[in-house]
């Protein structure tokens, strides 16, 4: 079975500073990787996804993530955050051989301070 | 594109009543829909997977007689919480995927429904 670990439950960061959200997964088979963002009392919005190809993936709102197969990681980064980036961020894994079921990490709450 | 809606966004009901939540894909055909439950400050827990025209597949520990799922068309799935109790209070989120290469389809999420059972 696969699992997803988001190492930081909460990340405070000042406006215009960079941020990195860590995500590690465990799986014995190939996976697809996703990052979603959830604003308060809302559903999830897809930030970016890795299916194949280039290991550096660019998403919406200036976010990017890098797939590292040897370290089984898919860390999310943004070089300069805005107040509006305050939200909960979820990393998720989709086993290639298990259809579309997603396994989510525990989430990382990003709080951007002025 | 790929917009998913849920209705209602918020519902308050008395203990013992049943509540139906709708999930619609507005601009695409969703052959598969997923239902999740999210407790405060926690991650999403998959409850069940439903494919159009067939019975839903429930995750371990989810009572299928309590959480009735119907996926009657390619754009609509419903979750009915039967005889709701306060412990069923939660944020329920649906997602939908398109057909095609099923291994690469992305899940598009609805805005969620907050259920409060008094």
């Amino acid at each position: 079975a696969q699992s997803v670990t988001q190492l930081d439950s909460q990340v405070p960061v000042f406006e215009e500073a960079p941020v990195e959200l860590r995500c590690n997964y465990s799986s014995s088979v190939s996976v697809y990787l996703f990052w979603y963002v959830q604003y308060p009392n809302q559903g999830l919005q897809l930030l970016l996804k890795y299916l194949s190809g280039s290991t550096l993936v660019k998403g919406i709102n200036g976010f990017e993530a890098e797939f590292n197969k040897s370290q089984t990681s898919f860390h999310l980064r943004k070089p300069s955050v805005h107040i509006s980036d305050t939200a909960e961020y979820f990393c998720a894994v989709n086993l290639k051989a298990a259809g579309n079921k997603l396994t989510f990490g525990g989430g990382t709450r990003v709080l951007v301070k002025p | 594109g790929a917009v998913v809606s849920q209705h209602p966004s918020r519902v308050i009901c008395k203990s013992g009543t049943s509540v139906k939540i709708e999930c619609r894909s507005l601009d695409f055909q969703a052959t598969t829909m997923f239902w999740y439950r999210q407790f405060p400050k926690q991650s999403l827990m998959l409850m069940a997977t439903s494919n159009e025209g067939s019975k839903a597949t429930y995750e371990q520990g989810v009572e299928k007689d309590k959480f009735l799922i119907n996926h009657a068309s390619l754009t609509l799935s419903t979750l009915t919480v039967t005889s709701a109790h306060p412990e069923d209070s939660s944020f329920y989120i649906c997602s939908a995927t398109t057909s095609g290469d099923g291994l690469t389809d992305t899940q598009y999420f609805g805005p969620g429904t907050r259920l409060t059972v008094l």
Side-chain angles (χ1 to χ4, degrees), chain A residues 32 36 49 96 100-101 105, chain B residues 38 43 59 102-103 106-107:
Chain A
Y32 298 120
Y36 287 90
K49 60 185 177 182
K96 289 186 178 182
N100 288 325
K101 286 177 68 171
Chain B
Q38 185 181 32
S43 189
E59 295 299 300
L103 296 179
T106 299
Q107 289 190 28

Side-chain angles (χ1 to χ4, degrees), chain A residues 65-106:
Chain A
E66 185 155 20
F67 170 56
N68 187 318
K69 187 175 181 179
S70 62
Q71 297 186 6
T72 60
S73 67
F74 191 53
H75 301 333
L76 179 72
R77 291 189 287 265
K78 184 169 182 177
S80 176
V81 296
H82 302 291
I83 296 290
S84 59
D85 292 322
T86 294
E88 187 89 21
Y89 292 79
F90 291 98
C91 180
V93 166
N94 175 349
L95 286 185
K96 289 186 178 182
N100 288 325
K101 286 177 68 171
L102 286 176
T103 299
F104 284 89

Side-chain angles (χ1 to χ4, degrees), chain B residues 12-40:
Chain B
I12 301 173
C13 69
K14 293 182 179 180
S15 184
T17 61
S18 293
V19 174
K20 180 184 285 188
I21 303 170
E22 291 186 349
C23 177
R24 292 182 186 273
S25 57
L26 299 185
D27 51 4
F28 66 99
Q29 292 187 326
T31 52
T32 304
M33 286 185 169
F34 302 85
W35 286 96
Y36 295 85
R37 184 172 180 177
Q38 185 181 32
F39 291 105

Side-chain angles (χ1 to χ4, degrees), chain B residues 43-64:
Chain B
S43 189
L44 280 72
M45 298 297 294
L46 179 65
M47 298 174 66
T49 304
S50 76
N51 294 293
E52 186 264 339
S54 61
K55 289 185 179 180
T57 302
Y58 290 82
E59 295 299 300
Q60 193 171 9
V62 178
E63 299 175 59
K64 62 180 181 181

